Amino acid sequence: MDAQTELLLKKSAASEQAISSPDLERIPDIFGFETQQAAEKLLKALLIEIGIRYRRTHDLAELVQLVQLHDQPIPPTPIVLSRPTAFAVQFRYEELPGDLALVPAEARDTVAILRKHVESRIEQIAATRRG
């Protein structure tokens, strides 16, 4: 596994741990930001492992599209993966409208599903390389 992949997985796990805190739920914009960061880093880790360069971006839709363009499926998740993008871009600098807050259980499940999928794909890639 690439060292950058390991770092991204570690940082994603830290964001995932942050969203496991009920205290963070009380700060919806920060909760959304950590959810976005967890997903972003997982997608980037997978892209690195499949040898795809990506531009510097927080756009989850763009990252998902890159993954899918290279024959890597993305599992269905409770939250559409593009939705948390606004938390890393727009809502870092603007007030979060109350109706746009993420449902915490759905956010946690989304990240957990994505993590399980990405880790499984990375392991499959590693097994193929070992050959």
Side-chain angles (χ1 to χ4, degrees), residues 1 3-16 33-49 54 56-60 63-64 67 81 88 92 111 114-115 118-119 122:
M1 181 184 316
Q4 184 65 22
T5 300
E6 287 185 46
L7 178 62
L8 288 168
L9 292 174
K10 181 180 174 182
K11 289 189 169 285
S12 174
S15 288
E16 190 173 8
F33 175 76
E34 291 296 342
T35 300
Q36 187 282 337
Q37 288 290 286
E40 177 184 327
K41 287 172 176 56
L42 287 168
L43 293 167
K44 288 179 176 179
L46 180 55
L47 287 166
I48 288 170
E49 287 301 301
Y54 52 87
R56 195 170 216 168
T57 184
H58 298 293
D59 187 340
L60 296 179
L63 295 170
V64 165
V67 167
L81 285 173
R92 286 174 66 189
V111 172
L114 186 59
R115 172 174 296 286
V118 166
E119 288 177 346
I122 288 173

Side-chain angles (χ1 to χ4, degrees), residues 50 65-73 121:
I50 60 176
Q65 183 179 30
L66 263 177
V67 167
Q68 292 174 327
L69 281 172
H70 293 88
D71 296 325
Q72 300 294 317
R121 290 297 302 134

Side-chain angles (χ1 to χ4, degrees), residues 52-98:
I52 304 304
R53 297 183 72 137
Y54 52 87
R55 72 180 189 92
R56 195 170 216 168
T57 184
H58 298 293
D59 187 340
L60 296 179
E62 180 179 329
L63 295 170
V64 165
Q65 183 179 30
L66 263 177
V67 167
Q68 292 174 327
L69 281 172
H70 293 88
D71 296 325
Q72 300 294 317
I74 296 291
T77 53
I79 295 173
V80 175
L81 285 173
S82 60
R83 183 164 177 231
T85 295
F87 290 93
V89 183
Q90 180 179 357
F91 298 135
R92 286 174 66 189
Y93 304 100
E94 296 178 12
E95 192 68 36
L96 174 68

